[in-house]
């Protein structure tokens, strides 16, 4: 693919073109400046700027407000998502139907699996229907008979209920435009120009949406970075769509090669990594910043060592940190450890483990154990441990008759589950005898509560209660006693009225926790990426995709690395990812040498390839 490194905005206002950009180079700014120039030069022009999320569309609108001072010009620039624009066209042609999404989609799929007698995990079913739904002709592609049966049954039930989902709407719109039964944005809103931001995230339906408008004479401009294409599971085509766009739209290609976010040292490391990918547009990464920044690799034997390393770095200076991981579950451990040190944490794109009732029940159990007056927690605790409502009512009546310890035999006579009996029997045990400095004794004390939770529920909840117990353990150690540690946590997470809000502006000294996927489009002064080891980053190739899988995983790490402005920390446990040998070979080799005698592999040649 040929790239011009000239000013992209110098292209003619009626020419199709694309801009391939590096991280932090101002992709969105290019879109809005392009809109401004088109509207100033052509009095009859109306441009629609399309992106993929409502938040991104709102951001585009705000930038247009800032860049275009003339109100009459500004009203000819429209910002929207692909989905919203498709829905307008779809409703103009077909009227109104209910759209299934979120919990309603899950319920529809549950019904579908019963209807067609095809059963799979709900998460797998949702992902399958989404992946097939993003194709133009899903039933003629390489899916299994079982998958096609489920998808066809799902479509049947949507028809039966006169409903649709986002992907079906987009598919019906592009097929309808091709058949002449659905209007284009040109016909509905007199659109003359289309601009697509984050083009690397486009799927076949969105590409066809642009192509149908191009065939009607609409000028199309796209901007994105194929190296940041990390949504293959949503059928995003990344590099493939850039290549097809250049050929099918007869488009000129331009490059944005100056990064205004990352220091040169960070860009060098990211560049070394991503150059191992074959399916990509070759581009130069240049930093505009005077400070080069730092990149450090750290390795340890155990997960707890990595957590301690994160806590040590952040508690020394909380300002500007983001911790990134492959999954939300990995971030639970970090949040738990930071919570014990009173560090403010904000989760992006995922729930805090403290939002899980499995984690909160541990605190309620411990608090009840230390403050018998907190009988308000007793009903929910007994219910969690398997007791029925009539039993709970009897227990509460007996408990109100006087001291619970004195009434214990009477109360115990009503209980039916062994977990509830064990829990209340612990009231006769004095936890004050457990010294905070005796880690083994504290661990054994907490183990009793963890085992009760796990035995009364499914084993899958073990992770939540284990993390909660780890937070309690660290807090007890910091506060000097079991009672004080539990009280501090209850005040912070049970009795406090504050609620985390992902839409609020991040306060100074607040540490952001995010998955690598969730961090896309964001930037932070200091970034730590945890679990940079094979099996995590990159994840296992469960679908047998081979090189395509590892190139996507490499792009995912690349996105995480290029969120950092001045400081980047790459951490691994036991075995360094071969990606670290690609981006920081000298540091990785030196750390592996220090860890010799363990199972760490020194040579990247022993790895996946």
């Amino acid at each position: 693919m040929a790239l011009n490194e000239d000013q992209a905005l110098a292209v003619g206002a009626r020419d199709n073109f694309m801009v391939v950009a590096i991280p932090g180079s101002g992709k969105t700014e290019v879109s809005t400046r392009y809109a401004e120039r088109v509207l100033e030069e052509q009095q009859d022009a109306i441009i629609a700027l399309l992106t993929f999320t409502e938040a991104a569309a709102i951001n585009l609108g705000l930038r247009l407000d800032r860049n275009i001072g003339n109100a009459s010009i500004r009203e000819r620039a429209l910002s929207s998502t692909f989905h919203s624009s498709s829905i307008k066209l779809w409703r103009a042609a077909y009227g109104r139907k209910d759209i299934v999404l979120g919990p309603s989609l899950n319920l529809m799929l549950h019904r579908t699996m019963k209807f067609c007698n095809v059963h799979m995990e709900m998460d797998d079913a949702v992902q399958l229907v989404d992946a097939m739904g993003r194709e133009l002709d899903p039933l003629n592609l390489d899916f299994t008979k079982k998958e096609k049966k489920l998808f066809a049954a799902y479509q049947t039930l949507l028809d039966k209920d006169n409903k649709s989902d986002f992907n079906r709407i987009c598919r019906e719109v592009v097929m309808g435009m091709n058949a002449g039964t659905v209007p284009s944005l040109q016909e509905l809103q007199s659109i003359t120009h289309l601009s697509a931001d984050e083009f690397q995230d486009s799927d076949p339906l969105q590409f066809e949406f642009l192509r149908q408008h191009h065939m009607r004479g609409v000028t199309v401009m796209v901007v994105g970075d194929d190296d940041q294409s990390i949504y293959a599971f949503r059928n995003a085509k990344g590099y493939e769509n850039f290549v097809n766009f250049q050929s099918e739209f007869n488009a000129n290609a331009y490059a944005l090669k100056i990064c205004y976010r990352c220091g040169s040292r960070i860009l060098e490391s990211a560049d070394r990594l991503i150059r191992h990918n074959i399916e990509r547009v070759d581009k130069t990464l240049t930093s505009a910043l005077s400070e080069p920044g730092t990149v450090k690799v750290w390795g340890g034997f155990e997960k707890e060592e990595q957590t301690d390393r994160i806590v040590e770095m952040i508690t020394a200076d909380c300002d500007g940190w983001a911790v990134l991981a492959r999954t939300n579950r990995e971030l639970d451990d970090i949040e738990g450890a930071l919570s014990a040190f009173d560090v403010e944490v904000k989760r992006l794109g995922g729930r805090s483990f403290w939002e899980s009732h499995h984690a909160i029940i541990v605190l309620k159990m411990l608090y009840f154990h230390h403050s018998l007056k907190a009988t308000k927690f007793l009903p929910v605790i007994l219910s969690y441990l398997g007791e029925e409502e009539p039993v709970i009512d009897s227990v509460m009546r007996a408990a109100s008759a006087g001291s619970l310890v004195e009434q214990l035999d009477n109360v115990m006579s009503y209980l039916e589950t062994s977990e509830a009996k064990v829990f209340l029997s612990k009231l006769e045990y004095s936890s004050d005898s457990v010294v905070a400095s005796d880690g083994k004794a504290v661990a054994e004390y907490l183990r009793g509560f963890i085992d009760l939770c796990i035995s009364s529920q499914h084993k899958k909840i073990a992770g939540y209660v284990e993390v909660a117990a780890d937070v309690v353990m660290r807090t007890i150690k910091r506060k000097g006693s079991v009672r004080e540690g539990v009280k501090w946590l209850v005040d912070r997470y049970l009795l406090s009225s504050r609620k985390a809000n992902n839409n609020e502006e991040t306060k100074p000294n607040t540490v952001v926790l995010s998955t690598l996927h969730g961090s896309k489009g964001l930037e932070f002064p200091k970034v730590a990426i945890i679990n940079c080891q094979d099996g995590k980053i990159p994840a296992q190739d469960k679908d047998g995709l081979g090189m395509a899988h590892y190139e996507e995983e490499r792009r995912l790490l690349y996105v995480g690395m290029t969120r950092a402005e001045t400081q980047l920390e790459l951490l691994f446990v036991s075995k360094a990812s071969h990606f670290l040998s690609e981006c920081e070979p000298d540091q990785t080799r030196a750390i592996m040498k220090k860890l010799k005698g363990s199972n760490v592999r020194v040579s990247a040649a022993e790895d996946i390839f």
Side-chain angles (χ1 to χ4, degrees):
M1 179 182 295
L3 289 178
N4 298 311
E5 295 189 346
D6 303 320
Q7 289 276 338
L9 296 185
V11 72
R14 296 191 183 275
D15 295 330
N16 297 320
F17 74 101
M18 66 182 191
V19 177
V20 182
I22 69 171
S25 58
K27 295 189 294 293
T28 304
E29 188 70 10
V30 166
S31 297
T32 56
R33 292 293 184 184
Y34 169 70
E36 179 185 16
R37 189 173 70 82
V38 165
L39 297 175
E40 287 178 347
E41 289 184 4
Q42 300 182 26
Q43 301 302 313
D44 60 342
I46 300 177
I47 186 168
L49 293 89
L50 303 180
T51 188
F52 295 90
T53 67
E54 288 296 337
I58 291 171
N59 181 47
L60 276 172
L62 293 174
R63 288 184 183 238
L64 289 168
D65 291 341
R66 184 186 68 198
N67 290 348
I68 304 176
N70 187 313
S72 62
I73 293 178
R74 171 66 182 89
E75 66 183 13
R76 293 188 283 122
L78 313 176
S79 58
S80 179
T81 65
F82 275 97
H83 281 153
S84 295
S85 293
S86 295
I87 289 170
K88 286 179 183 176
L89 301 179
W90 179 71
R91 284 186 169 150
Y94 302 120
R96 179 174 291 273
K97 294 182 185 179
D98 289 336
I99 300 175
V100 292
L101 68 164
S104 295
L105 174 61
N106 286 24
L107 289 171
M108 179 65 82
L109 285 174
H110 184 271
R111 177 182 163 197
T112 301
M113 285 188 272
K114 289 184 66 178
F115 173 64
C116 67
N117 197 30
V118 170
H119 302 287
M120 61 179 67
E121 292 291 330
M122 181 57 70
D123 288 346
D124 294 335
V126 171
Q127 186 170 333
L128 170 69
V129 167
D130 184 61
M132 292 187 70
R134 291 174 182 271
E135 297 285 357
L136 275 169
D137 193 8
L139 293 178
N140 284 327
L141 294 177
D142 190 22
F143 292 98
T144 67
K145 289 183 178 179
K146 176 182 175 181
E147 291 169 339
K148 290 180 180 180
K149 183 178 180 181
L150 178 69
F151 186 78
Y154 170 66
Q155 302 302 313
T156 298
L157 289 181
L158 288 177
D159 286 336
K160 183 179 178 181
D161 289 0
N162 195 35
K163 293 181 178 179
S164 192
D165 62 21
F166 282 143
N167 290 335
R168 180 169 174 160
I169 289 170
C170 293
R171 189 167 59 255
E172 289 178 348
V173 163
V174 296
M175 292 175 69
M177 279 197 289
N178 188 52
T181 58
V182 174
S184 66
L185 290 175
Q186 184 185 46
E187 297 166 294
L188 193 67
Q189 297 177 300
S190 302
I191 297 297
T192 60
H193 291 70
L194 279 176
S195 170
D197 199 15
E198 302 291 352
F199 182 63
Q200 73 277 355
D201 296 335
S202 59
D203 62 27
L205 295 178
Q206 289 149 352
F207 184 91
E208 183 64 17
F209 184 91
L210 297 176
R211 197 174 75 86
Q212 286 294 329
H213 283 87
H214 162 61
M215 291 168 61
R216 287 160 173 76
V218 174
T219 301
V220 182
M221 180 272 248
V222 300
V223 57
D225 179 4
D226 60 303
D227 287 331
Q228 294 187 66
S229 179
I230 56 175
Y231 295 118
F233 61 91
R234 295 180 188 167
N235 215 13
K237 295 303 182 181
Y239 175 75
E240 179 182 337
N241 272 358
F242 276 100
V243 173
N244 291 339
F245 183 86
Q246 187 174 28
S247 61
E248 293 188 32
F249 288 66
N250 191 28
N252 290 315
Y254 296 86
L256 295 182
K257 61 178 183 176
I258 306 297
C259 173
Y260 299 94
R261 176 194 302 148
C262 310
S264 59
R265 177 69 180 83
I266 295 167
L267 276 186
E268 288 169 7
S269 186
D271 188 48
R272 279 195 295 268
L273 174 74
I274 204 62
R275 284 188 178 280
H276 284 78
N277 276 4
I278 298 171
E279 293 291 312
R280 65 183 293 266
V281 178
D282 188 31
K283 54 188 82 75
T284 302
L285 277 63
T286 304
S287 175
L289 305 184
S290 57
E291 293 296 323
T294 61
V295 179
K296 294 180 181 177
V297 178
W298 179 94
F301 291 103
E302 303 291 340
K303 180 177 71 174
E304 289 74 16
E305 291 180 75
Q306 176 181 249
T307 301
D308 289 341
R309 170 67 175 168
I310 292 289
V311 170
E312 178 186 349
M313 289 191 297
I314 290 176
T315 52
D317 180 10
C318 294
D319 192 34
W321 274 105
V323 181
L324 311 181
R326 191 69 173 70
T327 67
N328 268 299
R329 177 61 189 85
E330 296 165 75
L331 294 170
D332 287 344
D333 296 323
I334 302 300
E335 181 180 2
L338 293 173
S339 297
F341 287 85
D342 202 15
V343 174
E344 290 287 342
V345 168
K346 179 177 181 179
R347 291 289 282 261
L348 295 181
R351 287 172 24 137
S352 164
F353 78 96
W354 286 120
E355 294 179 63
S356 162
H357 64 289
H358 300 299
I360 289 296
I361 204 72
V362 175
L363 284 189
K364 290 189 173 182
M365 284 182 171
L366 290 168
Y367 190 61
F368 179 78
H369 192 217
H370 286 277
S371 177
L372 301 184
K373 294 179 181 179
T375 52
K376 64 180 181 180
F377 291 157
L378 188 53
V380 71
I381 292 172
L382 293 179
S383 175
Y384 187 88
L385 297 177
E387 295 292 350
E388 300 294 337
E389 284 303 310
V391 173
I392 294 172
D393 292 341
S394 298
V395 167
M396 295 305 291
R397 282 194 296 270
S400 65
S403 167
L404 190 54
V405 174
E406 293 174 0
Q407 299 292 322
L408 195 55
D409 289 340
N410 187 24
V411 168
M412 294 280 280
S413 67
Y414 292 104
L415 299 175
E416 295 181 356
T417 68
S418 59
E419 289 84 4
K421 290 176 181 177
V422 171
F423 172 71
L424 282 181
S425 68
K426 288 177 176 288
L427 296 179
E428 297 181 317
Y429 169 76
S430 174
S431 64
D432 290 338
S433 63
V434 180
V435 180
S437 59
D438 186 349
K440 184 177 180 181
V442 175
E444 289 177 354
Y445 168 68
L446 294 176
R447 187 78 247 170
F449 293 97
I450 295 171
D451 290 343
L452 283 177
C453 291
I454 294 173
S455 63
S456 65
Q457 304 289 317
H458 195 281
K459 285 186 178 179
K460 284 185 177 179
I461 64 100
Y464 292 105
V465 294
E466 294 275 6
V467 172
D470 180 64
V471 177
V472 174
M473 184 86 170
R474 291 172 180 268
T475 309
I476 287 171
K477 182 177 179 181
R478 192 163 63 92
K479 293 296 183 180
S481 77
V482 176
R483 185 182 299 276
E484 288 303 311
V486 170
K487 182 179 182 302
W488 185 86
L489 286 168
V490 168
D491 289 342
R492 181 178 173 88
Y493 295 110
L494 289 186
L495 304 182
S496 172
S497 61
R498 64 183 183 172
K499 292 278 186 181
N501 185 347
N502 282 351
N503 295 321
E504 291 179 353
E505 187 175 342
T506 303
K507 299 175 183 176
N509 295 328
T510 297
V511 177
V512 172
L513 304 182
S514 174
T515 62
L516 289 164
H517 282 100
S519 72
K520 188 169 175 288
L522 304 176
E523 55 190 41
F524 311 94
K526 296 174 281 189
V527 169
I529 305 177
I530 63 172
N531 291 330
C532 295
Q533 61 250 14
D534 291 335
K536 295 287 188 181
I537 307 173
Q540 293 179 353
D541 182 15
K542 294 180 180 178
D543 297 323
L545 299 176
M547 187 67 71
H549 168 79
Y550 293 106
E551 292 212 347
E552 170 106 345
E553 291 291 300
R554 192 177 281 112
R555 291 194 294 270
L556 185 60
L557 179 57
Y558 174 82
V559 166
M561 293 171 69
T562 53
R563 301 310 95 195
E565 297 171 351
T566 59
Q567 183 177 343
L568 175 63
E569 303 282 335
L570 304 169
L571 299 91
F572 71 89
V573 175
S574 183
K575 297 187 295 184
S577 166
H578 68 280
F579 287 172
L580 295 187
S581 296
E582 293 173 357
C583 65
E584 291 294 326
D586 294 340
Q587 287 197 65
T588 304
R589 191 179 302 111
I591 292 170
M592 287 179 171
K593 198 169 183 179
K594 286 184 180 179
L595 296 175
K596 67 180 180 180
S598 70
N599 291 325
V600 175
R601 291 172 288 179
V602 175
S603 173
E606 299 173 19
D607 284 301
I608 291 167
F609 299 121

